[in-house]
Amino acid sequence: GLRDAFPERTYYLDEDSWQILMADYYDAEGNLARYGEAHGIAHSQVPAFLPAMEITYDLTDGRYVASGLDNQHGPPVFGKPMKPEEFAPETLLRKGRRQ
C-alpha cells in the first residue's frame, strides 16, 4: 500500500569519480519536483573526490535544504588507525547524533 514519492529519478554521474553530482526527482505525474546537487572536494593526498555539501531544491514548495556543511570542522584525517570497537552499534549511534 506504499508508493515512492518520486517514482522516477535521473542521476548525473561524474565520469572520473562515479559520484552522483546532480539528480532530478519527478513526481507521480512526471513533473520535475526536486533537484539535488552535490559539491565535492578533491583530496589529492588520498586521492579521493568526496562530497563536501549537498543542496536539494524543492521546486513545488519553493524551498531548499543544504546539508553536510562542515566549515566548522578541521580537514579530514586519512589513514588513521581504527579499532573494532569504534564500529560497535552504540558507538556509531553516539557519533551519528553528534552535531
Side-chain angles (χ1 to χ4, degrees):
L2 301 174
R3 66 169 209 211
D4 195 327
F6 303 106
E8 184 181 337
R9 300 167 191 202
T10 303
Y11 296 121
Y12 301 90
L13 302 175
D14 173 66
E15 65 182 16
D16 295 321
S17 67
W18 288 88
Q19 294 279 337
I20 297 173
L21 296 183
M22 297 184 294
D24 293 333
Y25 301 87
Y26 296 90
D27 61 17
E29 288 79 38
N31 300 313
L32 182 61
R34 288 192 183 165
Y35 165 77
E37 59 187 48
H39 299 266
I41 294 179
H43 296 278
S44 58
Q45 69 273 29
V46 179
F49 180 75
L50 303 173
M53 68 173 289
E54 298 173 7
I55 304 173
T56 303
Y57 299 93
D58 186 335
L59 303 174
T60 56
D61 290 336
R63 56 189 176 171
Y64 69 93
V65 173
S67 60
L69 301 169
D70 61 358
N71 57 345
Q72 299 297 318
H73 303 286
V77 177
F78 298 104
K80 175 184 168 189
M82 305 286 293
K83 299 175 186 164
E85 55 268 16
E86 293 183 71
F87 295 93
E90 57 276 0
T91 304
L92 294 173
L93 276 172
R94 188 170 49 251
K95 287 186 177 191
R97 291 186 182 142
R98 186 175 11 158
Q99 296 296 329

